[in-house]
Amino acid sequence: MPLPSSIVILTGAGISAESGLGTFRDKDGIWTKYPLEDLATPEGFARNPDFVHGFYNDRRRQLKTARPHAGHEAIARLQTACEAEGREFLLVTQNVDNLHEQAGSTNVVHMHGELTQIRCMACHAVMEWHEDIGREVPCPSCSEAGYLRPHIVWFGEMPLEMDRISLALSHCSLFISIGTSGAVYPAAGFVQEALYAGAKTVELNLEPSENAHVFSESQYGPASEILPGWVERLIA
Ligand code: BV8
C-alpha cells in the first residue's frame, strides 16, 4: 500500500517520558510540582528571572544524558521512507528537548521553542546555548547583560512557525498525534484542522487524550512499544 501523500506528526511530552524527561500533566507531572504561572509565563519571568532560569537550566542539563528510544527512531524512519518516495512529511513537536534530532529526524518544527536556544530581549538575536544562563551573562551578540531569556514559548506567547504548520495541515492526508494530552492550544486544535482537510487522524498515546473522540483511529500504550510496529505496518 503506498505511503500517504502528506503526513503531519504532532508530538508532546509523552514521547520523551521513557527517555527520562518529565511530562506536565501526568501524576507527578512538572505542573503538579511547579507553579505554571511562575515558570511558563512572561509575567513569571519578569517577577523572578532567577527562578525561571534555574528551572530551565535544570531541564537543559537533563538533556545531556537523555537519549531517544525506539519510538523516536521509528518516527525518523518514517520520515526517511516518506522523503524517499517524494511524500510530504512534517514533524511538529511541542517539546523543547532535542530527542527527535538525536534519533535522526530533520527539519523538526519546535513550536514551543527549544531548551538549547536562548534569545536576547535587547537585540532579539536567537542563539544556540547548551550551558546554564542567568541574568549576569552578557548577550554574545550585543554584549548587553540582563536581557537573555530561554527561547521558549510561554503561555500567552505566540507559538513558532504557525503559518508553516497551518499550511501543512491544510493539505495533509494523515495526521498522527503522539504523546500529548490535548490540553494546550493551538496544538490541541491541529487535529480539527487536519479533519477539515480530509485527513485520516490517528492518536498514539499512553491513554486517551482530552480530544480522543476526534480521532478516527487510536492505539494506546507506551510510545517506545507501540510506535515501531505502527510505523512498520504503515511503511510495509
Ligand atoms: C497562545 C513551555 C495566543 C515550554 C508550554 C482557554 C482555552 C483555550 C486556550 C487557552 C485558554 N486560556 C489560555 C489559552 C491559551 C493557552 C492554553 O492552551 N492554555 C491551556 C492550559 C488551557 N495557550 C497558550 O498560551 C499558547 N499561546 O495561545 O498564544 C496568542 C495569540 C496572539 C498573540 C499572542 C499569543 C502557548 C502555549 C505554549 C505554552 N508553553 N511549555 C516548556 O516549558 O516545556 S506548554 C506545555 O504543555 C509544554 O510545552 C507541553 O509540551 C505542552 C503540552 O503538554 P503535553 O506535551 O501534551 O504534555 P502533558 O504532560 O500535558 O501530556 C503528556 C501526554 O503524554 C499524556 O496524554 C500522557 O498520557 C502521555 N504519555 C505519558 N507517558 C507516555 C505517554 N504517551 C506515550 N508514551 C508514554 N510513555
Side-chain angles (χ1 to χ4, degrees), residues 21-22 30 45 49-67 96-99 102 113-119 127-137 148-152 154:
L21 300 182
I30 292 173
F45 181 67
D50 296 335
F51 181 48
V52 176
H53 276 312
F55 173 65
Y56 285 99
N57 287 341
D58 289 347
R59 290 174 63 195
R60 195 176 298 108
R61 275 187 227 117
Q62 286 173 27
L63 281 190
K64 296 185 188 296
T65 51
R67 291 290 170 262
V96 293
D97 62 56
N98 56 6
L99 293 170
Q102 285 191 48
E114 295 176 73
L115 277 172
T116 55
Q117 293 200 324
I118 56 164
R119 183 165 83 231
M127 299 150 274
E128 275 290 309
W129 195 277
H130 294 264
E131 306 313 320
D132 286 3
I133 53 173
R135 268 191 293 172
E136 71 293 345
V137 177
L148 293 179
R149 63 165 275 181
H151 185 50
I152 296 273
W154 286 325

Short mmCIF file of all heavy atoms in Angstrom, two decimals, residues 21-22 30 45 49-67 96-99 102 113-119 127-137 148-152 154:
data_model
loop_
_atom_site.label_atom_id
_atom_site.label_comp_id
_atom_site.label_asym_id
_atom_site.label_seq_id
_atom_site.Cartn_x
_atom_site.Cartn_y
_atom_site.Cartn_z
N LEU A 21 12.60 12.35 30.58
CA LEU A 21 12.23 13.77 30.73
C LEU A 21 10.77 13.83 31.17
O LEU A 21 9.92 13.11 30.64
CB LEU A 21 12.45 14.50 29.40
CG LEU A 21 13.90 14.47 28.87
CD1 LEU A 21 14.00 15.27 27.58
CD2 LEU A 21 14.88 15.01 29.92
N GLY A 22 10.49 14.71 32.14
CA GLY A 22 9.15 14.72 32.74
C GLY A 22 8.05 15.19 31.80
O GLY A 22 8.28 15.99 30.91
N ILE A 30 5.30 17.89 35.79
CA ILE A 30 6.01 19.14 36.13
C ILE A 30 5.04 20.18 36.68
O ILE A 30 5.30 20.82 37.71
CB ILE A 30 6.76 19.68 34.88
CG1 ILE A 30 7.90 18.73 34.51
CG2 ILE A 30 7.27 21.09 35.11
CD1 ILE A 30 8.60 19.05 33.21
N PHE A 45 8.44 35.26 34.52
CA PHE A 45 9.87 35.52 34.27
C PHE A 45 10.24 36.94 34.72
O PHE A 45 11.27 37.17 35.34
CB PHE A 45 10.18 35.34 32.78
CG PHE A 45 11.63 35.56 32.41
CD1 PHE A 45 12.61 34.68 32.87
CD2 PHE A 45 12.01 36.64 31.64
CE1 PHE A 45 13.96 34.88 32.54
CE2 PHE A 45 13.35 36.85 31.31
CZ PHE A 45 14.32 35.98 31.76
N PRO A 49 13.23 36.27 37.42
CA PRO A 49 14.01 35.65 36.34
C PRO A 49 14.97 34.56 36.83
O PRO A 49 15.16 33.55 36.17
CB PRO A 49 14.75 36.82 35.70
CG PRO A 49 14.66 37.96 36.64
CD PRO A 49 13.46 37.74 37.49
N ASP A 50 15.52 34.74 38.04
CA ASP A 50 16.49 33.73 38.53
C ASP A 50 15.79 32.38 38.73
O ASP A 50 16.34 31.32 38.41
CB ASP A 50 17.11 34.20 39.85
CG ASP A 50 17.93 35.48 39.65
OD1 ASP A 50 18.40 35.70 38.50
OD2 ASP A 50 18.06 36.26 40.61
N PHE A 51 14.55 32.42 39.25
CA PHE A 51 13.79 31.18 39.49
C PHE A 51 13.52 30.47 38.17
O PHE A 51 13.73 29.27 38.02
CB PHE A 51 12.47 31.55 40.19
CG PHE A 51 11.58 30.38 40.53
CD1 PHE A 51 12.08 29.25 41.18
CD2 PHE A 51 10.22 30.40 40.20
CE1 PHE A 51 11.24 28.17 41.49
CE2 PHE A 51 9.39 29.33 40.51
CZ PHE A 51 9.90 28.21 41.15
N VAL A 52 13.13 31.24 37.17
CA VAL A 52 12.81 30.65 35.85
C VAL A 52 14.08 30.17 35.16
O VAL A 52 14.13 29.04 34.64
CB VAL A 52 12.06 31.68 34.97
CG1 VAL A 52 11.80 31.12 33.57
CG2 VAL A 52 10.73 32.06 35.63
N HIS A 53 15.17 30.96 35.23
CA HIS A 53 16.44 30.50 34.65
C HIS A 53 16.86 29.17 35.31
O HIS A 53 17.28 28.23 34.62
CB HIS A 53 17.54 31.54 34.85
CG HIS A 53 17.56 32.63 33.82
ND1 HIS A 53 17.49 32.39 32.46
CD2 HIS A 53 17.64 33.98 33.95
CE1 HIS A 53 17.52 33.53 31.80
NE2 HIS A 53 17.61 34.51 32.69
N GLY A 54 16.68 29.09 36.62
CA GLY A 54 17.09 27.87 37.34
C GLY A 54 16.29 26.66 36.87
O GLY A 54 16.84 25.58 36.63
N PHE A 55 14.99 26.86 36.64
CA PHE A 55 14.10 25.77 36.18
C PHE A 55 14.53 25.27 34.81
O PHE A 55 14.66 24.06 34.58
CB PHE A 55 12.67 26.33 36.13
CG PHE A 55 11.62 25.43 35.53
CD1 PHE A 55 11.27 24.23 36.15
CD2 PHE A 55 10.99 25.78 34.34
CE1 PHE A 55 10.29 23.41 35.59
CE2 PHE A 55 10.01 24.96 33.78
CZ PHE A 55 9.66 23.78 34.42
N TYR A 56 14.83 26.22 33.91
CA TYR A 56 15.22 25.79 32.56
C TYR A 56 16.67 25.32 32.52
O TYR A 56 17.03 24.43 31.74
CB TYR A 56 14.94 26.91 31.53
CG TYR A 56 13.46 27.01 31.23
CD1 TYR A 56 12.65 27.96 31.84
CD2 TYR A 56 12.87 26.07 30.38
CE1 TYR A 56 11.28 28.00 31.60
CE2 TYR A 56 11.49 26.10 30.15
CZ TYR A 56 10.71 27.06 30.76
OH TYR A 56 9.35 27.06 30.55
N ASN A 57 17.52 25.85 33.38
CA ASN A 57 18.90 25.34 33.46
C ASN A 57 18.89 23.86 33.87
O ASN A 57 19.60 23.04 33.28
CB ASN A 57 19.73 26.15 34.47
CG ASN A 57 20.09 27.54 33.94
OD1 ASN A 57 20.04 27.79 32.72
ND2 ASN A 57 20.42 28.45 34.84
N ASP A 58 18.03 23.53 34.85
CA ASP A 58 17.93 22.11 35.29
C ASP A 58 17.50 21.23 34.12
O ASP A 58 18.07 20.17 33.88
CB ASP A 58 16.90 21.95 36.42
CG ASP A 58 17.40 22.55 37.73
OD1 ASP A 58 18.62 22.86 37.80
OD2 ASP A 58 16.58 22.75 38.65
N ARG A 59 16.49 21.68 33.38
CA ARG A 59 15.96 20.85 32.28
C ARG A 59 16.96 20.77 31.13
O ARG A 59 17.08 19.75 30.46
CB ARG A 59 14.62 21.40 31.81
CG ARG A 59 13.52 21.19 32.86
CD ARG A 59 12.24 21.86 32.47
NE ARG A 59 11.67 21.30 31.26
CZ ARG A 59 10.70 21.91 30.56
NH1 ARG A 59 10.27 23.10 30.96
NH2 ARG A 59 10.22 21.35 29.47
N ARG A 60 17.75 21.89 30.95
CA ARG A 60 18.75 21.85 29.87
C ARG A 60 19.85 20.85 30.24
O ARG A 60 20.35 20.11 29.39
CB ARG A 60 19.35 23.25 29.68
CG ARG A 60 20.12 23.44 28.39
CD ARG A 60 20.61 24.88 28.20
NE ARG A 60 19.52 25.84 28.13
CZ ARG A 60 19.22 26.72 29.09
NH1 ARG A 60 19.90 26.73 30.20
NH2 ARG A 60 18.22 27.57 28.93
N ARG A 61 20.21 20.82 31.53
CA ARG A 61 21.24 19.86 31.97
C ARG A 61 20.77 18.42 31.76
O ARG A 61 21.56 17.56 31.35
CB ARG A 61 21.53 20.07 33.48
CG ARG A 61 22.56 21.16 33.74
CD ARG A 61 22.96 21.23 35.20
NE ARG A 61 22.93 22.62 35.68
CZ ARG A 61 22.11 23.05 36.65
NH1 ARG A 61 21.30 22.21 37.27
NH2 ARG A 61 22.09 24.32 37.02
N GLN A 62 19.44 18.17 31.99
CA GLN A 62 18.93 16.79 31.81
C GLN A 62 19.13 16.31 30.37
O GLN A 62 19.29 15.12 30.10
CB GLN A 62 17.43 16.73 32.13
CG GLN A 62 17.07 16.81 33.60
CD GLN A 62 15.54 16.91 33.76
OE1 GLN A 62 14.78 16.44 32.93
NE2 GLN A 62 15.10 17.56 34.83
N LEU A 63 19.14 17.27 29.43
CA LEU A 63 19.27 16.88 28.02
C LEU A 63 20.59 16.16 27.76
O LEU A 63 20.71 15.36 26.85
CB LEU A 63 19.22 18.13 27.11
CG LEU A 63 17.87 18.74 26.78
CD1 LEU A 63 18.05 19.77 25.69
CD2 LEU A 63 16.88 17.66 26.38
N LYS A 64 21.61 16.49 28.57
CA LYS A 64 22.95 15.94 28.29
C LYS A 64 22.99 14.42 28.46
O LYS A 64 23.82 13.74 27.89
CB LYS A 64 23.98 16.63 29.20
CG LYS A 64 24.13 18.14 28.93
CD LYS A 64 25.24 18.74 29.77
CE LYS A 64 25.30 20.26 29.69
NZ LYS A 64 25.60 20.82 28.41
N THR A 65 22.05 13.90 29.27
CA THR A 65 22.08 12.44 29.48
C THR A 65 20.84 11.75 28.91
O THR A 65 20.76 10.54 28.90
CB THR A 65 22.12 12.15 31.01
OG1 THR A 65 21.06 12.89 31.63
CG2 THR A 65 23.46 12.58 31.60
N ALA A 66 19.86 12.54 28.42
CA ALA A 66 18.63 11.92 27.88
C ALA A 66 18.92 11.38 26.48
O ALA A 66 19.60 12.03 25.67
CB ALA A 66 17.51 12.95 27.82
N ARG A 67 18.42 10.18 26.21
CA ARG A 67 18.65 9.56 24.89
C ARG A 67 17.30 9.16 24.28
O ARG A 67 16.39 8.77 25.01
CB ARG A 67 19.54 8.31 25.05
CG ARG A 67 20.97 8.65 25.46
CD ARG A 67 21.74 9.34 24.32
NE ARG A 67 23.04 9.87 24.77
CZ ARG A 67 23.22 11.17 25.12
NH1 ARG A 67 22.20 12.01 25.13
NH2 ARG A 67 24.41 11.61 25.50
N VAL A 96 10.53 20.78 23.96
CA VAL A 96 11.67 21.70 23.83
C VAL A 96 12.99 20.94 23.95
O VAL A 96 14.06 21.53 23.95
CB VAL A 96 11.57 22.82 24.91
CG1 VAL A 96 10.35 23.71 24.60
CG2 VAL A 96 11.46 22.26 26.32
N ASP A 97 12.88 19.59 24.01
CA ASP A 97 14.12 18.77 24.05
C ASP A 97 14.58 18.48 22.63
O ASP A 97 13.91 18.83 21.66
CB ASP A 97 13.86 17.47 24.84
CG ASP A 97 12.79 16.59 24.19
OD1 ASP A 97 12.96 16.24 22.99
OD2 ASP A 97 11.80 16.27 24.85
N ASN A 98 15.75 17.80 22.50
CA ASN A 98 16.31 17.55 21.16
C ASN A 98 16.36 16.05 20.85
O ASN A 98 17.19 15.58 20.08
CB ASN A 98 17.72 18.15 21.06
CG ASN A 98 18.64 17.61 22.17
OD1 ASN A 98 18.25 16.71 22.92
ND2 ASN A 98 19.84 18.14 22.26
N LEU A 99 15.45 15.29 21.45
CA LEU A 99 15.47 13.83 21.27
C LEU A 99 15.11 13.40 19.84
O LEU A 99 15.66 12.45 19.31
CB LEU A 99 14.54 13.15 22.29
CG LEU A 99 14.99 13.27 23.74
CD1 LEU A 99 13.90 12.79 24.69
CD2 LEU A 99 16.27 12.50 23.97
N GLN A 102 18.23 13.85 17.91
CA GLN A 102 19.21 12.82 18.29
C GLN A 102 18.88 11.49 17.59
O GLN A 102 19.76 10.70 17.29
CB GLN A 102 19.21 12.59 19.81
CG GLN A 102 19.90 13.68 20.63
CD GLN A 102 20.07 13.22 22.09
OE1 GLN A 102 20.53 12.11 22.36
NE2 GLN A 102 19.66 14.08 23.02
N GLY A 113 9.49 26.28 21.05
CA GLY A 113 10.88 26.69 21.26
C GLY A 113 11.76 25.51 21.64
O GLY A 113 11.35 24.35 21.56
N GLU A 114 13.00 25.81 22.05
CA GLU A 114 13.99 24.77 22.35
C GLU A 114 14.83 25.14 23.57
O GLU A 114 15.26 26.28 23.72
CB GLU A 114 14.92 24.58 21.13
CG GLU A 114 14.20 24.05 19.90
CD GLU A 114 15.12 23.94 18.69
OE1 GLU A 114 15.97 23.03 18.67
OE2 GLU A 114 15.00 24.79 17.79
N LEU A 115 15.10 24.15 24.39
CA LEU A 115 15.95 24.37 25.58
C LEU A 115 17.36 24.78 25.17
O LEU A 115 18.04 25.48 25.91
CB LEU A 115 16.03 23.06 26.40
CG LEU A 115 14.90 22.78 27.36
CD1 LEU A 115 15.02 21.38 27.92
CD2 LEU A 115 14.86 23.82 28.47
N THR A 116 17.82 24.35 24.00
CA THR A 116 19.21 24.62 23.60
C THR A 116 19.32 25.93 22.81
O THR A 116 20.29 26.15 22.09
CB THR A 116 19.74 23.47 22.72
OG1 THR A 116 18.82 23.31 21.61
CG2 THR A 116 19.83 22.17 23.51
N GLN A 117 18.31 26.80 22.94
CA GLN A 117 18.41 28.11 22.30
C GLN A 117 18.03 29.18 23.32
O GLN A 117 17.17 28.97 24.17
CB GLN A 117 17.47 28.20 21.09
CG GLN A 117 17.87 27.27 19.95
CD GLN A 117 17.27 27.68 18.62
OE1 GLN A 117 16.15 28.14 18.58
NE2 GLN A 117 18.06 27.54 17.56
N ILE A 118 18.72 30.34 23.21
CA ILE A 118 18.36 31.48 24.05
C ILE A 118 18.08 32.68 23.15
O ILE A 118 18.43 32.68 21.97
CB ILE A 118 19.50 31.85 25.04
CG1 ILE A 118 20.79 32.12 24.27
CG2 ILE A 118 19.69 30.77 26.08
CD1 ILE A 118 21.82 32.84 25.09
N ARG A 119 17.39 33.67 23.72
CA ARG A 119 17.03 34.87 22.93
C ARG A 119 17.38 36.10 23.76
O ARG A 119 17.18 36.12 24.98
CB ARG A 119 15.52 34.83 22.63
CG ARG A 119 15.04 35.96 21.76
CD ARG A 119 13.65 35.66 21.20
NE ARG A 119 12.56 35.97 22.10
CZ ARG A 119 11.58 35.12 22.43
NH1 ARG A 119 11.63 33.88 21.99
NH2 ARG A 119 10.61 35.50 23.22
N MET A 127 20.20 32.37 19.75
CA MET A 127 21.49 31.68 19.66
C MET A 127 21.45 30.29 20.29
O MET A 127 20.70 30.07 21.24
CB MET A 127 22.55 32.50 20.42
CG MET A 127 22.75 33.89 19.83
SD MET A 127 23.25 35.11 21.09
CE MET A 127 21.66 35.62 21.74
N GLU A 128 22.25 29.37 19.74
CA GLU A 128 22.44 28.05 20.35
C GLU A 128 23.06 28.25 21.73
O GLU A 128 23.94 29.12 21.90
CB GLU A 128 23.42 27.21 19.51
CG GLU A 128 22.80 26.46 18.33
CD GLU A 128 21.91 25.31 18.75
OE1 GLU A 128 22.33 24.47 19.56
OE2 GLU A 128 20.74 25.28 18.30
N TRP A 129 22.60 27.50 22.73
CA TRP A 129 23.19 27.65 24.06
C TRP A 129 22.95 26.35 24.83
O TRP A 129 21.82 25.92 24.94
CB TRP A 129 22.54 28.82 24.79
CG TRP A 129 23.32 29.25 25.99
CD1 TRP A 129 23.30 28.70 27.24
CD2 TRP A 129 24.28 30.33 26.05
NE1 TRP A 129 24.18 29.36 28.07
CE2 TRP A 129 24.79 30.36 27.38
CE3 TRP A 129 24.76 31.25 25.12
CZ2 TRP A 129 25.75 31.29 27.78
CZ3 TRP A 129 25.69 32.18 25.53
CH2 TRP A 129 26.19 32.20 26.84
N HIS A 130 24.05 25.73 25.33
CA HIS A 130 23.88 24.41 25.97
C HIS A 130 24.20 24.43 27.46
O HIS A 130 24.05 23.42 28.14
CB HIS A 130 24.75 23.37 25.25
CG HIS A 130 24.30 23.13 23.83
ND1 HIS A 130 23.46 22.09 23.48
CD2 HIS A 130 24.51 23.83 22.68
CE1 HIS A 130 23.20 22.15 22.18
NE2 HIS A 130 23.82 23.20 21.66
N GLU A 131 24.67 25.59 27.95
CA GLU A 131 25.05 25.66 29.38
C GLU A 131 23.99 26.41 30.16
O GLU A 131 22.99 26.85 29.63
CB GLU A 131 26.42 26.36 29.49
CG GLU A 131 27.51 25.72 28.63
CD GLU A 131 27.56 24.18 28.78
OE1 GLU A 131 27.40 23.69 29.93
OE2 GLU A 131 27.71 23.49 27.76
N ASP A 132 24.27 26.62 31.47
CA ASP A 132 23.35 27.43 32.28
C ASP A 132 23.36 28.88 31.78
O ASP A 132 24.38 29.35 31.25
CB ASP A 132 23.83 27.43 33.74
CG ASP A 132 23.54 26.08 34.41
OD1 ASP A 132 23.04 25.19 33.71
OD2 ASP A 132 23.82 25.95 35.61
N ILE A 133 22.24 29.56 31.94
CA ILE A 133 22.26 31.02 31.70
C ILE A 133 21.68 31.70 32.94
O ILE A 133 20.99 31.08 33.75
CB ILE A 133 21.44 31.47 30.47
CG1 ILE A 133 19.99 30.96 30.47
CG2 ILE A 133 22.12 31.08 29.19
CD1 ILE A 133 19.16 31.55 29.33
N GLY A 134 21.99 32.97 33.07
CA GLY A 134 21.50 33.77 34.21
C GLY A 134 21.50 35.23 33.80
O GLY A 134 21.96 35.59 32.71
N ARG A 135 21.00 36.05 34.72
CA ARG A 135 20.85 37.49 34.40
C ARG A 135 22.22 38.13 34.15
O ARG A 135 22.35 39.07 33.38
CB ARG A 135 20.19 38.19 35.59
CG ARG A 135 18.67 38.24 35.45
CD ARG A 135 18.08 39.14 36.46
NE ARG A 135 18.24 38.63 37.83
CZ ARG A 135 17.93 39.35 38.91
NH1 ARG A 135 17.49 40.58 38.77
NH2 ARG A 135 18.06 38.84 40.11
N GLU A 136 23.27 37.59 34.79
CA GLU A 136 24.58 38.27 34.69
C GLU A 136 25.30 37.96 33.39
O GLU A 136 26.28 38.61 33.06
CB GLU A 136 25.45 37.85 35.89
CG GLU A 136 25.96 36.40 35.83
CD GLU A 136 24.86 35.33 35.96
OE1 GLU A 136 23.72 35.68 36.38
OE2 GLU A 136 25.15 34.16 35.60
N VAL A 137 24.80 36.99 32.60
CA VAL A 137 25.52 36.60 31.37
C VAL A 137 25.27 37.64 30.27
O VAL A 137 24.11 37.93 29.96
CB VAL A 137 25.04 35.21 30.90
CG1 VAL A 137 25.72 34.83 29.59
CG2 VAL A 137 25.32 34.16 31.98
N LEU A 148 18.99 38.18 28.55
CA LEU A 148 18.85 36.84 27.94
C LEU A 148 17.68 36.08 28.57
O LEU A 148 17.45 36.17 29.78
CB LEU A 148 20.15 36.04 28.14
CG LEU A 148 21.39 36.56 27.40
CD1 LEU A 148 22.59 35.68 27.70
CD2 LEU A 148 21.13 36.63 25.90
N ARG A 149 16.93 35.36 27.76
CA ARG A 149 15.83 34.50 28.24
C ARG A 149 15.85 33.19 27.46
O ARG A 149 16.39 33.14 26.34
CB ARG A 149 14.48 35.17 28.09
CG ARG A 149 14.05 35.47 26.66
CD ARG A 149 12.58 35.79 26.55
NE ARG A 149 11.78 34.55 26.42
CZ ARG A 149 10.44 34.55 26.29
NH1 ARG A 149 9.76 35.69 26.32
NH2 ARG A 149 9.78 33.43 26.16
N PRO A 150 15.25 32.14 28.01
CA PRO A 150 15.15 30.90 27.21
C PRO A 150 14.33 31.17 25.94
O PRO A 150 13.36 31.94 26.00
CB PRO A 150 14.40 29.94 28.14
CG PRO A 150 14.58 30.50 29.52
CD PRO A 150 14.65 31.99 29.36
N HIS A 151 14.73 30.58 24.81
CA HIS A 151 13.94 30.76 23.58
C HIS A 151 12.81 29.73 23.62
O HIS A 151 12.79 28.75 22.88
CB HIS A 151 14.82 30.56 22.34
CG HIS A 151 14.10 30.85 21.04
ND1 HIS A 151 13.37 32.01 20.81
CD2 HIS A 151 13.98 30.10 19.91
CE1 HIS A 151 12.84 31.96 19.61
NE2 HIS A 151 13.19 30.82 19.03
N ILE A 152 11.92 29.94 24.54
CA ILE A 152 10.82 29.02 24.86
C ILE A 152 9.52 29.81 24.73
O ILE A 152 9.47 30.99 25.10
CB ILE A 152 10.98 28.52 26.32
CG1 ILE A 152 12.25 27.69 26.47
CG2 ILE A 152 9.73 27.79 26.79
CD1 ILE A 152 12.14 26.23 26.17
N TRP A 154 6.14 30.72 26.10
CA TRP A 154 5.38 30.60 27.35
C TRP A 154 3.90 30.85 27.10
O TRP A 154 3.50 31.26 26.00
CB TRP A 154 5.95 31.63 28.34
CG TRP A 154 7.30 31.20 28.89
CD1 TRP A 154 7.72 29.93 29.19
CD2 TRP A 154 8.41 32.06 29.19
NE1 TRP A 154 9.01 29.95 29.64
CE2 TRP A 154 9.45 31.22 29.68
CE3 TRP A 154 8.63 33.43 29.13
CZ2 TRP A 154 10.69 31.73 30.07
CZ3 TRP A 154 9.87 33.94 29.53
CH2 TRP A 154 10.89 33.10 30.00
#
